[in-house]
Amino acid sequence: MNKQELCNVAITATDKSYSPYSGCKVGAALLSADGQVFTGCNIENASFSPTICAERTAFAKAVSEGVTKFSAIAIAAKRGGKLSTFTPCGVCRQVMSEFCDADFKVLVVTGENTFEEYTLAELLPASFKLD
Ligand code: THU
């Protein structure tokens, strides 16, 4: 799967978002090292703090299926039905750093056929890890 295809899967995953409070529909597509794709969406809660971001939903699905090595994630978001650029929150960056190397690719969807590309090292320099 190429990068644009991974972004397309993330855009489609926004349809599953449960976001009655923010109205932000976020989708993620996580590519494992062996080529599997795990999707995720944000799942909000009336109590707010239990809300889980789309990225962490995707990681939870993958890790709970025994997959722990990854090469890329794509993230898409829609507000009012239109694509909006969402870079991952700090908590999600920390979760990425638990399972991913510094060169893990983070693709942030900016339009139907456009995306920005970062490495995890760019998004979370000097990250905390236990050796
Ligand atoms: N959200 C994500 O799913 N991923 C991000 O990277 C940033 C924020 C969600 C959480 C919440 O449901 C909504 O977007 C607004 O913050």
Side-chain angles (χ1 to χ4, degrees):
M1 169 161 302
N2 69 33
K3 292 173 186 174
Q4 184 57 56
E5 288 169 340
L6 195 65
C7 288
N8 293 344
V9 176
I11 292 171
T12 300
T14 65
D15 292 341
K16 299 288 198 309
S17 168
Y18 177 76
S19 47
Y21 305 104
S22 75
C24 301
K25 292 177 169 288
V26 189
L30 178 62
L31 181 65
S32 67
D34 63 358
Q36 299 181 73
V37 177
F38 295 86
T39 59
C41 66
N42 57 329
I43 304 170
E44 297 187 344
N45 188 279
S47 184
F48 289 9
S49 63
T51 292
I52 183 168
C53 292
E55 298 91 319
R56 279 178 286 136
T57 301
F59 272 92
K61 286 171 68 177
V63 174
S64 63
E65 295 295 329
V67 178
T68 57
K69 294 191 187 332
F70 306 101
S71 56
I73 191 169
I75 302 143
K78 287 184 180 173
R79 300 179 81 181
K82 291 180 61 178
L83 283 173
S84 178
T85 302
F86 273 35
T87 51
C89 79
V91 172
C92 289
R93 294 179 197 203
Q94 182 65 26
V95 169
M96 290 174 197
S97 83
E98 184 71 26
F99 296 102
C100 306
D101 295 332
D103 63 350
F104 175 72
K105 291 179 179 52
V106 180
L107 311 176
V108 176
V109 171
T110 54
E112 287 295 341
N113 289 297
T114 56
F115 58 88
E116 294 169 355
E117 180 173 338
Y118 301 92
T119 64
L120 181 56
E122 288 171 326
L123 294 181
L124 193 66
S127 65
F128 170 70
K129 279 189 179 176
L130 291 175
D131 292 328

